Amino acid sequence: MNPEEALKNIFEEIKNGNHLGEPITLVGATKTVDLLTIQRAIDCGLKAVGENRVQEFREKAPFLHGAEIHFIGHLQTNKVNKVVGRAALIESVDSEHLLQKVERAAAAANLTQEILIEINIGGEESKSGVSAESLWPLLDMAAAQPHIRLRGLMAIPPAAATPDETRAFFAQMRELLAKAADRHYENAKMDILSMGMSGDYPDAIREGATIVRIGTAIYGARDYSKK
């Protein structure tokens, strides 16, 4: 696959924003992708990349120039210090315990860390994320932290869902973000809805995504067993 041509096509698809006209940030999901390939994509206009694994995040972050780096995978509490202050956005905070760890690390570094709350929108036992029902106490807690800035929500619908089911999950996420914004948190800006990947991002955009996380559609299929 030619990443440059793929990026050109995706940029064309997202240039008009979502259904509300809100701009969309393309995050290039770069798990297992080598530095040279990622930097070529950045040089072609990619403004953000997303890493799933802390080890790859730490290895790549110092050498990538011209794009912000998001952490988009499951973050273990014992690795929080390796990500806080280095990621422009942690998209996968999903528990009070993890939230407290991020707050302490950010306070120790005297900085404010931007985060999203990850929701397990399909209720899958094998997937991380807070349930939609348990979201509100976690949001209240996140918004109250002095060294955290809550920016919105993130989700990954079940891989086995049909297109109609997936779009319904995206619509549910849009509604949850609207309800969260209606709480009018003083120390939060609920303006980010991160959802949609290579196979479903057009539907995510139609339902209000402001971030889409795309890997395969840019870089082609990857062999994750090598990492």
Side-chain angles (χ1 to χ4, degrees):
M1 178 174 287
N2 183 332
E4 291 88 347
E5 188 64 28
L7 280 170
K8 180 180 177 181
N9 293 336
I10 296 170
F11 285 143
E12 182 66 22
E13 288 182 89
I14 69 174
K15 69 179 182 180
N16 294 323
N18 62 22
H19 72 296
L20 296 175
E22 297 167 326
I24 297 165
T25 298
L26 170 60
V27 172
T30 50
K31 183 164 64 174
T32 78
V33 180
D34 64 89
L35 279 168
L36 180 60
T37 301
I38 300 170
Q39 189 60 54
R40 277 171 42 207
I42 293 170
D43 294 341
C44 289
L46 186 66
K47 301 299 184 185
V49 300
E51 280 295 333
N52 290 73
R53 296 168 174 166
V54 171
Q55 181 177 345
E56 282 193 75
F57 175 89
R58 295 186 71 201
E59 290 171 351
K60 295 173 182 178
F63 303 102
L64 296 175
H65 306 285
E68 62 182 30
I69 303 179
H70 297 192
F71 190 80
I72 61 176
H74 176 64
L75 180 57
Q76 295 173 300
T77 54
N78 64 346
K79 295 182 179 179
V80 163
N81 289 336
K82 299 175 181 178
V83 175
V84 167
R86 296 173 175 85
L89 183 65
I90 300 175
E91 297 199 20
S92 50
V93 175
D94 62 356
S95 71
E96 291 187 0
H97 185 48
L98 177 57
L99 184 68
Q100 290 169 340
K101 288 280 190 177
V102 172
E103 167 62 25
R104 286 198 287 269
N110 193 30
L111 56 83
T112 300
Q113 177 65 60
E114 295 199 341
I115 69 162
L116 304 181
I117 299 298
E118 180 179 1
I119 299 177
N120 185 347
I121 195 64
E124 298 172 275
E125 292 185 5
S126 61
K127 192 173 288 183
S128 57
V130 64
S131 70
E133 295 76 19
S134 303
L135 170 63
W136 310 111
L138 186 59
L139 282 180
D140 292 345
M141 182 178 178
Q145 303 307 308
H147 297 91
I148 284 174
R149 192 177 191 213
L150 176 62
R151 294 294 306 274
L153 307 176
M154 184 269 262
I156 305 171
T162 66
D164 286 345
E165 290 169 339
T166 296
R167 187 156 180 180
F169 284 127
F170 289 150
Q172 185 180 353
M173 286 297 300
R174 183 189 68 238
E175 293 166 2
L176 288 172
L177 183 70
K179 290 179 181 178
D182 285 345
R183 294 168 88 89
H184 299 293
Y185 294 117
E186 190 172 319
N187 189 34
K189 185 178 181 183
M190 302 297 292
D191 61 342
I192 294 178
L193 187 55
S194 178
M195 59 186 191
M197 299 188 293
S198 292
D200 56 22
Y201 72 88
D203 281 337
I205 291 169
R206 293 185 189 100
E207 295 297 339
T210 62
I211 286 179
V212 291
R213 308 177 307 275
I214 299 178
T216 301
I218 299 173
Y219 305 108
R222 288 159 285 171
D223 184 358
Y224 296 140
S225 67
K226 294 181 179 180
K227 287 285 184 175

